[in-house]
Amino acid sequence: MTTTYTRLPSRNLDKVAGLLRPACVLPERVGLDNPALDAMTDFRRLTAFIATPGDTIKQAEERMIRRKVRLLFVMDNEDRVAGLITSTDIHGEKPMQVVQSRGILRHEVLVADIMTPVERLEAVDFDDIAHARVGHVLETLKTRGRQHALVIENVKGKQMVRGLLSLSQLSTQLGVTIETTEVAHTFTEIGQHLTQD
């Protein structure tokens, strides 16, 4: 039995046509009992932006500004995660320390010089996030004193970064200010902020 295929109809593209891109749209507001996935940037739905260890910090910063992000994954030449670099790294003390210790100019500082290397990154398993609540995410970031946590998933026997948890994103979603150096100490304190809104 032979199938006959016909040509699909086609038309010209409009001059104002846009391009659909992956989007990970998180809820504007969450509570502590919302599913933890409501606070996770999912890289199956949104492209993660990257830098290389050999990029200058100026190149990394320009990429962050252009992409409207505050964090880049640093990928090595074998497409493995080598570390992370954040806007806080670029604007903090790290570049000046490198300049002073190595006797170079600021524009010569590389991503590799100030990034957080992969061996210092902490991660949470996706299966745990899938069954957790926003309160668990907050407690995890709070007790670790971290601005970010990676979410990993095992894909065909290989560990892959599936998503990202961000304290600043979560702070926006909860509608409370949570400082990384002075994180609220109890859920009661956070609950009081939430009920005041």
Side-chain angles (χ1 to χ4, degrees):
M1 176 160 100
T2 305
T3 304
T4 304
Y5 297 98
T6 59
R7 184 177 71 111
L8 295 171
S10 63
R11 58 184 167 172
N12 291 335
L13 197 64
D14 292 340
K15 288 184 180 179
V16 294
L19 179 65
L20 279 175
R21 296 181 182 172
C24 177
V25 181
L26 298 176
E28 272 188 45
R29 290 285 186 193
V30 297
L32 296 175
D33 287 329
N34 276 68
L37 291 175
D38 285 351
M40 183 188 89
T41 300
D42 189 343
F43 296 135
R44 286 192 183 267
R45 297 190 289 160
L46 183 71
T47 302
F49 297 114
I50 65 168
T52 67
D55 291 339
T56 65
I57 59 172
K58 181 173 175 41
Q59 290 171 316
E61 181 180 31
E62 288 170 353
R63 194 166 301 136
M64 287 180 196
I65 292 168
R66 198 169 48 249
R67 302 294 188 194
K68 298 179 179 153
V69 296
R70 300 185 59 195
L71 174 147
L72 298 173
F73 284 88
V74 183
M75 305 299 288
D76 69 13
N77 58 4
E78 294 181 33
D79 205 31
R80 296 177 304 202
V81 176
L84 291 179
I85 185 165
T86 67
S87 58
T88 303
D89 294 330
I90 292 171
H91 295 286
E93 296 176 6
K94 288 181 180 181
M96 191 51 66
Q97 290 170 346
V98 172
V99 165
Q100 290 173 348
S101 69
R102 299 208 353 239
I104 61 175
L105 300 173
R106 190 177 194 285
H107 73 268
E108 297 174 302
V109 177
L110 300 180
V111 166
D113 296 328
I114 67 167
M115 71 180 190
T116 302
V118 68
E119 60 271 9
R120 289 192 36 223
L121 298 176
E122 294 180 4
V124 180
D125 194 273
F126 178 76
D127 288 339
D128 293 330
I129 290 293
H131 298 96
R133 298 283 171 201
V134 166
H136 297 113
V137 173
L138 181 61
E139 184 63 18
T140 301
L141 293 171
K142 183 180 78 162
T143 57
R144 299 279 187 208
R146 300 285 189 204
Q147 178 67 35
H148 300 96
L150 303 181
V151 178
I152 53 172
E153 182 178 35
N154 195 309
V155 179
K156 297 180 182 175
K158 183 177 179 184
Q159 190 182 78
M160 302 293 282
V161 177
R162 166 70 186 264
L164 180 71
L165 302 169
S166 163
L167 192 60
S168 61
Q169 169 67 41
L170 187 54
S171 177
T172 300
Q173 288 179 290
L174 287 169
V176 297
T177 302
I178 305 169
E179 299 293 331
T180 54
T181 55
E182 209 173 84
V183 179
H185 295 294
T186 66
F187 283 118
T188 307
E189 188 178 338
I190 293 166
Q192 288 169 350
H193 287 293
L194 293 173
T195 56
Q196 291 170 2
D197 289 348

